[in-house]
Amino acid sequence: MNTITASLGHEFAVGAVANAVQGRGLTQPKAINPAIAAKQGDDADVLARIASGDKLAMKVLYARHHVQTYRFLLRLVGDEAHAEDLVSEVFFDVWRNAHQFQGNSRVSTWILAIARFKALSALRRRKDDELDEDQAAAIADTADDPEIAVQKKDRVAIMRQCLSHLSLVHREIIDLAYYQDKPINEVAEILGVPENTVKTRMFHARRRLSELLAQAGIDRTYQ
C-alpha cells in the first residue's frame, strides 16, 4: 500500500477533490495519524461535522477509511492508478453529500456503497470489460496451467489470481463479506439487493473460489 499512502494523500490534497470543494473552504488535507483520528468521535459525528463544512473532520474520515476504500476499489477495477483516482472521487462525493447521510447504516457501509457505484460506472465505460456473469465464467482459468501454478508460489498472489477469475458479481460479494467483514444486511444495502440474493451469490462465489483455489494447489474451502 505504499502507492496509496504516498500518492493518494497528495491526490486528495491537490487533485480533483481539493479543486471541487474550494467553494466550501476545504484546504489541502495533511496526513493524520489514525490513532489520533480514532479519538475524534465516531464516524457519524465526524460526518455531521463534515456536513457543516468542518475541514478537520474531513481529514479524520479520510484517514480512517481511504485505505479500506482503495482496497475495495482495487479488487473491483483491477488497476492501482484507476483505483486511486476513484478514491478521490469517492471522498469528494462524501464531502459534497455528507448532509444526505441518514444514519440508517454505518458510515463505512455508506462510503463503500458510493465506491461501488463509482467502480461500476467506471467499468461500464471500459467497453472491453463489459462481461456478464456467464461470459466471465466461460473464460479459461489460467490457474489450471501447471506452469502458472509453479510461478504463483506465494499464497497471497495465488488468492489474488483466483479472485481475478471470479465474475464481478462474485468478486464484490467475497470482498465485502470477507475482506471488509460486512454482515449480510450491510452487504445487501451496499449492493442494493435482498438479503436472500446476497446469500445465494455468496454460496456460489464461495464454491467457485474454492474450485479455483483447489486448481491452484491450495486446499481451502469457503463452503
Side-chain angles (χ1 to χ4, degrees), residues 47 93-94 97-98 101 105-114:
L47 199 61
D93 275 13
V94 169
N97 299 314
F101 180 71
S105 64
R106 289 190 287 180
V107 171
S108 61
T109 299
W110 182 66
I111 292 174
L112 288 179
I114 295 172

Side-chain angles (χ1 to χ4, degrees), residues 41-190:
D42 65 32
D43 283 345
D45 291 339
V46 172
L47 199 61
R49 288 161 50 199
I50 293 172
S52 67
D54 189 322
K55 296 176 286 185
L56 177 59
M58 187 68 232
K59 299 175 189 177
V60 169
L61 197 73
Y62 179 79
R64 288 180 182 176
H65 295 289
H66 77 276
V67 173
Q68 175 192 42
T69 303
Y70 167 82
R71 289 173 175 165
F72 176 64
L73 286 165
L74 179 59
R75 292 189 187 100
L76 293 185
V77 302
D79 179 85
E80 292 183 0
H82 196 182
E84 289 174 5
D85 290 341
L86 290 175
V87 168
S88 290
E89 293 184 22
V90 168
F91 281 92
F92 164 61
D93 275 13
V94 169
W95 170 261
R96 185 179 59 183
N97 299 314
H99 63 283
Q100 296 182 3
F101 180 71
Q102 300 297 313
N104 297 324
S105 64
R106 289 190 287 180
V107 171
S108 61
T109 299
W110 182 66
I111 292 174
L112 288 179
I114 295 172
R116 178 179 181 266
F117 176 80
K118 294 289 185 184
L120 294 182
S121 297
L123 288 173
R124 290 190 194 100
R125 291 193 294 268
R126 288 161 49 177
K127 299 298 183 182
D128 56 335
D129 286 333
E130 289 184 351
L131 300 175
D132 62 26
E133 189 170 351
D134 291 336
Q135 289 173 310
I139 295 176
D141 292 324
T142 55
D144 293 349
D145 188 335
E147 184 176 344
I148 293 179
V150 170
Q151 295 171 356
K152 297 290 184 178
K153 292 181 180 180
D154 181 70
R155 292 174 68 91
V156 174
I158 293 174
M159 174 64 80
R160 188 180 300 115
Q161 181 76 4
C162 291
L163 283 170
S164 72
H165 290 297
L166 293 177
S167 69
L168 176 61
V169 169
H170 288 166
R171 195 160 66 243
E172 64 184 5
I173 283 285
I174 292 294
D175 189 282
L176 290 170
Y178 293 99
Y179 288 97
Q180 310 296 343
D181 197 28
K182 292 293 183 184
I184 295 293
N185 64 314
E186 292 190 23
V187 174
E189 180 179 345
I190 291 170

Side-chain angles (χ1 to χ4, degrees), residues 3-22:
T3 302
I4 187 67
T5 302
S7 67
L8 185 53
H10 177 75
E11 176 78 14
F12 183 73
V14 300
V17 179
N19 292 334
V21 299
Q22 283 179 350

Side-chain angles (χ1 to χ4, degrees), residues 133 166-167 169-175 177-178 184 187 191 194-212 220-223:
E133 189 170 351
L166 293 177
S167 69
V169 169
H170 288 166
R171 195 160 66 243
E172 64 184 5
I173 283 285
I174 292 294
D175 189 282
Y178 293 99
I184 295 293
V187 174
L191 301 183
E195 291 185 21
N196 284 339
T197 299
V198 171
K199 293 175 183 178
T200 300
R201 290 182 184 178
M202 190 176 297
F203 171 79
H204 291 295
R206 283 188 244 179
R207 185 173 63 181
R208 180 59 180 148
L209 183 56
S210 292
E211 291 172 355
L212 291 171
R220 186 170 181 177
T221 301
Y222 282 82
Q223 299 290 348

